[in-house]
């Protein structure tokens, strides 16, 4: 896998049961890249491991005044130098490729999960956490994946140096063979504490990122209510907590680094002292002492990779755990694999009714159905459930799958479910780009963008986009929309999103408060446009606006999670006090006063009628 091959055609199904399992899955998915990196690492570290022995042989050749042998040693040193240089360059190239490949695969998995869950993702995971995982965490995950092959090559070189010294100079090689494992394992007692501090730092950094993301998202509202300084103060406090945690973590890693310098230095002094004694006793040649000294000095380089792999794992483990937590989310409570394979639901036949067993809501095929909920949160969960995304953290009764033509939506393939049912939530998102690109979405082709824009009353939006467009843009479809449509008002963004939903022309369209940000005159025209454009198609609108409800073929009142009444808007307005209270925003006190006034008027009319009867008699 080269960088030019990214992204993967299919990033695969990750093992998201835990952070370590996810890291293992990533490593197994890049065995080819890991093997190449390991091979080049062996070339590089093999040269590093052979360098001390070549130096020792050269010293012995000088001592023995053997010119031929010295020339051979020179050629060997040149070959080792080439191996070290080429191996280091290619090791860096392949290691960075593994790093970027792992990070890109995680980002691809996160993007796929985001597309799968849609708006349900931010209901289960904070948006800031998703941002933290897709930015900083992917780098740390990629760091560990690429560090594994370099660590294995470094470990091989350390073992090769120790074994070589045992054969080349057994008297001094024993000291090195005993001292090196002590060096490698000396920091193990400190790693748990360093890992805990790193986890705390990552947790605080994640919370600070979430706070910053939420603050930026709500900055306009915060300025409106004068809460900007309050939230900035909270972010300052959070950032200071991150700084303190980072300093505590850095102190521990600095201690580990100091030990990695101090102990090899002590081993080097021991080797020189003991080797000098052996040379004076005649039990060790000068070249062998130089080789032993060079071997210990050379091992400082590969031993650094032992510290690096510990750091990489300590930092990547919490990052992998957070990524696994996001990737383990499902749009439904998925059935067991055996059960899913045993029963593959068929795609519902066109024209089926939409039915929600949890609330009893029935949206007849080809009709315009309006749903009134007194609880906005209930309306949001209902819209999500109608799209085949039952809430996994809601009441058990709300996890029952919605049926379309008798087939459970959440058991269908995601692409199929979204082709059949499209849900537009309260806060639809407009991506940056031209208006033409905004409407470049999967659609039936039966509804042109112009008709959808007209039905959503977007004439003034087109004029505004054309006026703000650079000179030379004559077609409003070529005008650019800024990120999230920030240059447009809330009502303009809402109408453009509605037009995009209408242009897709799905079999079932679910709209959650599609006109909450427009004035009443525009709302009335939009209601007529939706009714006309969606004629013969199943449309469900969750709203409490009388202008929308009056255009609906059927109105359903949902109270306390269940259907309480069904009829037309005018029938329910006159016959259902609860419906009238929700739609007209009538309070309990107003209802009581109105009831008393009606009672008083009725009594006055009755008394007047009795008086007239008595007078006539």
């Amino acid at each position: 896998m080269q960088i030019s091959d990214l992204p993967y055609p299919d990033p695969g199904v990750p093992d998201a049961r835990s952070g370590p399992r996810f890291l293992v899955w990533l490593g197994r998915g890049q065995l080819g890249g890991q093997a190449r990196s390991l091979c080049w690492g062996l070339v590089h570290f093999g040269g590093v491991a052979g360098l001390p022995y070549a130096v020792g042989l050269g010293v012995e050749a000088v001592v023995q005044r053997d010119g031929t042998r010295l020339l051979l040693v020179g050629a060997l040193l040149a070959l080792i130098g080439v191996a070290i240089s080429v191996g280091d360059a290619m090791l860096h190239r392949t290691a960075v490729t593994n790093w970027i490949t792992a990070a890109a695969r995680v980002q691809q998995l996160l993007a796929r999960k985001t597309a799968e869950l849609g708006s349900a993702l931010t209901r289960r995971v904070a948006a800031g956490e998703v941002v933290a995982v897709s930015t900083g965490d992917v780098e740390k995950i990629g760091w560990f994946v690429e560090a594994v092959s370099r660590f294995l090559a470094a470990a091989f070189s350390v073992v090769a140096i120790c074994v070589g010294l045992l054969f080349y100079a057994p008297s001094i090689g024993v000291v090195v063979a005993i001292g090196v494992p002590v060096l490698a394992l000396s920091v193990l007692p400190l790693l748990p504490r360093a890992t805990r501090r790193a986890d705390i730092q990552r947790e605080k950094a994640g919370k600070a990122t979430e706070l910053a993301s939420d603050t930026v998202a709500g900055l306009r509202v915060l300025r409106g209510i004068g809460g900007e300084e309050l939230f900035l103060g909270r972010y300052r406090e959070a950032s200071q907590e991150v700084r303190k945690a980072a300093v505590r973590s850095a102190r521990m890693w600095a201690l580990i680094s100091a030990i990695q310098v101090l102990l090899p230095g002590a081993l080097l002094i021991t080797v020189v002292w003991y080797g000098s004694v052996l040379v004076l006793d005649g039990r060790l040649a000068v070249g062998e002492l130089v080789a032993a000294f060079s071997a210990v000095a050379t091992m400082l380089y590969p031993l650094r990779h032992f510290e690096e792999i510990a750091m990489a794992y300590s930092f990547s483990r919490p990052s992998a755990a957070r990524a696994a937590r996001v990737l383990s989310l499902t749009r439904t409570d998925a059935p067991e694999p055996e059960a899913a394979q045993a029963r593959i639901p068929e795609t519902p036949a066109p024209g089926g009714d939409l039915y929600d067993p949890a609330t009893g809501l029935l949206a007849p095929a080809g009709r315009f159905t309006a749903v009134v909920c007194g609880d906005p949160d209930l309306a949001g969960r209902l819209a999500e459930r109608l799209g085949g995304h039952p809430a996994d953290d809601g009441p058990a009764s709300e996890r029952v799958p919605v049926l379309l033509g008798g087939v459970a939506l959440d058991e269908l393939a995601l692409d199929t479910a979204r082709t059949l049912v499209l849900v537009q939530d309260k806060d639809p998102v407009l991506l940056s780009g031209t208006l033409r690109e905004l409407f470049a979405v999967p659609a039936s082709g039966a509804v042109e963008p112009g008709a959808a824009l007209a039905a959503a009353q977007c004439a003034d939006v087109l004029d505004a986009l054309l006026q703000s467009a650079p000179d030379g843009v004559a077609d409003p479809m070529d005008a650019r929309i800024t990120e999230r449509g920030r240059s447009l008002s809330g009502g303009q963004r809402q109408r453009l999103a509605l037009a995009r939903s209408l242009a897709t022309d799905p079999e079932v369209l679910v709209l959650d408060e599609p006109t909450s940000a427009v004035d009443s005159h525009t709302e009335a025209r939009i209601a007529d446009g939706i009714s006309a454009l969606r004629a013969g198609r199943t449309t469900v609108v969750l709203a409490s606006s009388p202008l929308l409800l009056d255009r609906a073929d059927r109105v359903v009142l949902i109270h306390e999670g269940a259907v309480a009444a069904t009829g037309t808007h005018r029938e329910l307005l006159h016959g259902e006090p609860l419906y009238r209270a929700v739609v007209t925003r009538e309070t309990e006190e107003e209802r009581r006063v109105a009831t008393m006034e009606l009672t008083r008027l009725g009594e006055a009319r009755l008394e007047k009628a009795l008086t007239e009867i008595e007078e006539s008699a």
Side-chain angles (χ1 to χ4, degrees):
M1 169 63 66
Q2 296 296 320
I3 297 177
S4 59
D5 298 327
L6 296 175
Y8 285 92
D10 180 9
V13 180
D15 186 348
R17 289 176 291 178
S18 65
R21 289 178 182 270
F22 181 60
L23 291 174
V24 171
W25 178 84
L26 275 177
R28 290 174 56 189
Q30 295 178 213
L31 289 179
Q34 293 284 2
R36 282 191 291 271
S37 183
L38 178 59
C39 289
W40 286 114
L42 292 176
V43 172
H44 172 64
F45 285 105
V48 172
L51 189 60
Y53 308 110
V55 172
L57 292 174
V59 171
E60 289 183 3
V62 171
V63 172
Q64 297 174 6
R65 300 181 182 275
D66 189 344
T68 304
R69 187 178 179 187
L70 186 60
L71 289 175
L72 292 175
V73 170
L76 178 61
L77 284 172
L79 181 61
I80 289 176
V82 171
I84 292 175
S85 301
V86 175
D88 188 27
M90 296 306 297
L91 172 61
H92 179 74
R93 176 183 176 84
T94 53
V96 171
T97 300
N98 289 335
W99 186 340
I100 296 177
T101 301
R105 172 176 255 169
V106 176
Q107 286 181 322
Q108 197 172 350
L109 289 169
L110 291 170
R112 187 176 69 176
K113 181 60 65 174
T114 302
E116 175 188 340
L117 296 178
S119 62
L121 177 62
T122 53
R123 298 176 189 262
R124 306 180 189 181
V125 181
E129 182 172 354
V130 179
V131 173
V133 172
S134 60
T135 53
D137 286 339
V138 296
E139 294 186 4
K140 294 184 172 51
I141 293 171
W143 177 25
F144 174 74
V145 171
E146 66 91 10
V148 170
S149 56
R150 290 191 288 111
F151 164 72
L152 293 176
F156 169 81
S157 70
V158 170
V159 173
I161 291 174
C162 292
V163 173
L165 272 180
L166 286 175
F167 286 95
Y168 182 72
S171 55
I172 195 68
V174 173
V175 177
V176 177
I178 295 175
V180 168
V182 173
L183 295 180
L185 302 177
S186 60
V187 297
L188 285 182
L190 298 177
L191 287 180
R193 183 178 297 180
T195 301
R196 285 195 299 270
R197 293 189 180 186
D199 290 348
I200 293 173
Q201 177 193 351
R202 295 302 305 159
E203 181 182 357
K204 291 183 179 295
K207 290 181 179 179
T209 303
E210 294 172 18
L211 180 61
S213 177
D214 295 341
T215 302
V216 171
L219 191 58
R220 182 178 298 178
V221 178
L222 292 176
R223 287 175 175 171
I225 63 176
E228 182 179 3
E229 287 300 324
L230 174 63
F231 276 82
L232 287 177
R234 291 182 180 178
Y235 180 73
R236 291 190 191 99
E237 294 177 1
S239 64
Q240 289 302 311
E241 291 293 328
V242 174
R243 181 187 63 81
K244 293 176 182 177
V247 169
R248 293 185 72 247
S249 178
R251 285 173 180 168
M252 183 56 64
W253 288 111
L255 177 60
I256 292 175
S257 298
I259 293 174
Q260 290 289 307
V261 174
L262 178 62
L263 293 184
L267 178 61
L268 192 62
I269 294 173
T270 302
V271 168
V272 172
W273 172 77
Y274 184 63
S276 301
V277 172
L278 293 178
V279 170
L280 292 176
D281 292 343
R283 291 182 292 168
L284 186 70
V286 175
E288 293 175 340
L289 175 59
V290 173
F293 174 81
S294 301
V296 175
T298 303
M299 274 194 292
L300 295 179
Y301 170 56
L303 280 175
R304 287 199 216 114
H305 291 77
F306 286 71
E307 177 188 355
E308 182 190 8
I309 195 67
M311 290 183 65
Y313 181 73
S314 298
F315 281 94
S316 66
R317 187 176 57 82
S319 298
R322 293 206 295 188
R325 184 164 60 251
V326 175
L327 296 175
S328 64
L329 298 175
T330 57
R331 66 187 181 105
T332 62
D333 292 330
E336 295 296 327
E338 294 79 4
Q341 293 176 2
R343 182 173 60 85
I344 301 177
E346 298 179 356
T347 303
D353 296 339
L354 184 68
Y355 176 64
D356 177 25
T359 60
L361 170 65
L362 175 66
R367 305 286 297 278
F368 184 178
T369 303
V371 180
V372 176
C373 296
D375 183 2
D377 292 335
L378 174 62
R381 294 198 303 270
L382 176 59
E384 185 177 329
R385 197 165 59 251
L386 292 177
H389 297 277
D392 57 355
D393 56 350
S397 59
E398 294 186 2
R399 302 178 194 175
V400 182
V402 172
L403 306 178
L404 178 61
V407 178
L409 278 179
D410 64 349
E411 295 181 1
L412 295 174
L414 182 63
D415 293 342
T416 303
R418 288 189 173 169
T419 301
L420 297 171
V421 182
L422 173 65
V423 178
Q424 177 179 304
D425 59 17
K426 291 185 179 69
D427 300 310
V429 176
L430 301 180
L431 301 178
S432 59
T434 64
L435 192 59
R436 195 181 308 279
E437 293 171 343
L438 179 68
F439 283 86
V441 293
S444 66
V447 178
E448 294 294 330
L453 289 166
Q457 300 299 311
C458 293
D460 64 317
V461 184
L462 299 180
D463 293 339
L465 288 174
L466 201 56
Q467 290 176 3
S468 61
D471 296 338
V473 177
D475 189 348
M477 296 298 292
D478 295 325
R480 294 195 66 82
I481 301 173
T482 57
E483 180 189 1
R484 301 179 68 90
R486 297 187 187 279
S487 61
L488 303 173
S489 67
Q492 290 174 328
R493 289 196 300 270
Q494 193 175 59
R495 281 178 282 159
L496 276 182
L498 174 61
R500 177 181 58 187
S501 299
L502 292 173
T504 60
D505 189 38
E507 182 174 331
V508 179
L509 177 61
V510 180
L511 304 172
D512 188 3
E513 294 289 356
T515 58
S516 59
V518 300
D519 59 79
S520 57
H521 297 289
T522 305
E523 186 177 32
R525 294 194 294 269
I526 290 175
D528 291 334
I530 294 175
S531 180
L533 198 63
R534 294 287 299 172
R537 306 286 272 172
T538 306
T539 306
V540 180
V541 177
L542 289 91
S544 57
S545 168
L547 295 173
L548 276 174
L549 299 174
D550 194 41
R551 268 70 170 184
D553 301 324
R554 190 168 179 266
V555 180
V556 179
L557 171 65
I558 294 182
H559 179 63
E560 295 183 353
V563 173
T566 304
T568 64
H569 169 62
R570 298 179 187 273
E571 291 173 351
L572 295 177
L573 196 62
H574 292 91
E576 287 292 336
L578 182 60
Y579 176 84
R580 184 169 59 252
V582 174
V583 173
T584 63
R585 309 297 197 273
E586 192 177 55
T587 64
E588 289 288 341
E589 181 63 22
E590 290 172 338
R591 285 203 301 271
R592 187 180 66 81
V593 172
T595 302
M596 292 176 61
E597 183 66 20
L598 289 174
T599 303
R600 188 184 64 78
L601 290 174
E603 291 176 350
R605 290 174 181 174
L606 179 60
E607 183 178 351
K608 181 179 180 180
L610 291 175
T611 302
E612 291 176 352
I613 292 174
E614 290 176 355
E615 289 177 354
S616 63

